[in-house]
Amino acid sequence: MSSIRGSRTRLLTVAATVAVAAFSLTACNDGEGVRNEGSSAGASSTASGSGSSSQEDAKKGAAGSESATDVPAASGNGKTGTGKSGTSGKKGVTCQGSNTKTVAAPLNRPVNHMLLTVTNTGSSTCYLYGYPAVRFGEAQSVPPVIEDSKPQAVVTLAPGESGYSSVNLSAADGSGTNGHTEKSLAVHFQGRTADEDVPSAAHPALPAKGAYIDNSLKVTYWQQSMDDAISW
């Protein structure tokens, strides 16, 4: 009999323990599952840390992309370069008598005009700065430039290309003075700055009868196209 009571007592004790445990679990349940308040802050911290890490990685990635953009594309592929000086890959130089060919040809229209054509005979791009400083015969000064003819950009000649300037030799209406004929012409070139020395001039041939000039002599700035040059 005492053995049966002992067994019942143990069963009741176990049942009570199970009930208490169940009550504890129910108290911790928020109705949507087991609540883990202790790990919430940790998870939030982890999420925040992960977000911060992602932002840092994004910044690093962006910085890496910017650096890559600064590197010229295909700069070392062994193909022909596409630098500012053109397909030759060489630095541009100033056009002058030694790297160009200059031709002086009289024009029918406009009357009393001569066209100067300068062709780049070198292997690098060259630049025609300003206007031609022309000297007919033994002249001690050069004629003025027509200011309104100044182009918006420096005339740039790749190898084989030409630039132009027209020379107004004499007044069409005969109003000019000191008219005379000259048999020789020197064309001097200008540098990028006034201090640049451009030693080599061109000496294009004039027509056999020479060129008649008077005190109305003037020139245009160098032009990229012939049409622009002869429009003055």
Side-chain angles (χ1 to χ4, degrees):
M1 199 64 180
S2 61
S3 174
I4 292 171
R5 286 198 199 95
S7 297
R8 288 179 177 175
T9 301
R10 284 194 296 274
L11 288 171
L12 290 172
T13 302
V14 171
T17 301
V18 171
V20 170
F23 179 78
S24 298
L25 287 173
T26 301
C28 291
N29 196 325
D30 62 359
E32 295 178 358
V34 177
R35 185 170 56 193
N36 186 356
E37 303 214 5
S39 63
S40 178
S44 176
S45 174
T46 302
S48 175
S50 176
S52 175
S53 176
S54 298
Q55 291 175 0
E56 291 299 323
D57 290 343
K59 289 179 181 178
K60 291 179 180 178
S65 298
E66 290 174 1
S67 298
T69 303
D70 292 337
V71 180
S75 60
N77 60 7
K79 296 182 180 180
T80 302
T82 55
K84 293 181 179 179
S85 59
T87 57
S88 67
K90 297 181 180 180
K91 185 177 179 181
V93 296
T94 299
C95 297
Q96 57 181 306
S98 60
N99 58 14
T100 61
K101 178 182 179 181
T102 302
V103 174
L107 295 172
N108 292 326
R109 292 184 180 277
V111 295
N112 300 343
H113 278 62
M114 175 178 287
L115 179 68
L116 298 179
T117 301
V118 174
T119 302
N120 182 355
T121 58
S123 59
S124 300
T125 294
C126 75
Y127 303 103
L128 279 171
Y129 295 108
Y131 56 91
V134 299
R135 291 181 185 273
F136 286 90
E138 301 299 322
Q140 299 300 308
S141 61
V142 298
V145 66
I146 301 172
E147 287 296 339
D148 289 343
S149 68
K150 188 172 184 178
Q152 294 182 348
V154 173
V155 175
T156 304
L157 304 182
E161 291 184 340
S162 300
Y164 309 88
S165 171
S166 65
V167 183
N168 187 339
L169 299 172
S170 59
D173 60 3
S175 60
T177 60
N178 299 324
H180 61 284
T181 299
E182 291 289 354
K183 296 293 187 83
S184 65
L185 171 64
V187 179
H188 297 267
F189 297 85
Q190 298 185 35
R192 183 177 182 181
T193 64
D195 296 332
E196 181 180 349
D197 182 28
V198 186
S200 181
H203 299 274
L206 293 177
K209 64 179 181 179
Y212 180 83
I213 61 175
D214 62 25
N215 67 347
S216 63
L217 180 68
K218 50 186 175 289
V219 301
T220 68
Y221 281 91
W222 291 115
Q223 307 293 328
Q224 198 76 52
S225 76
M226 183 187 301
D227 288 342
D228 288 339
I230 65 176
S231 64
W232 299 95

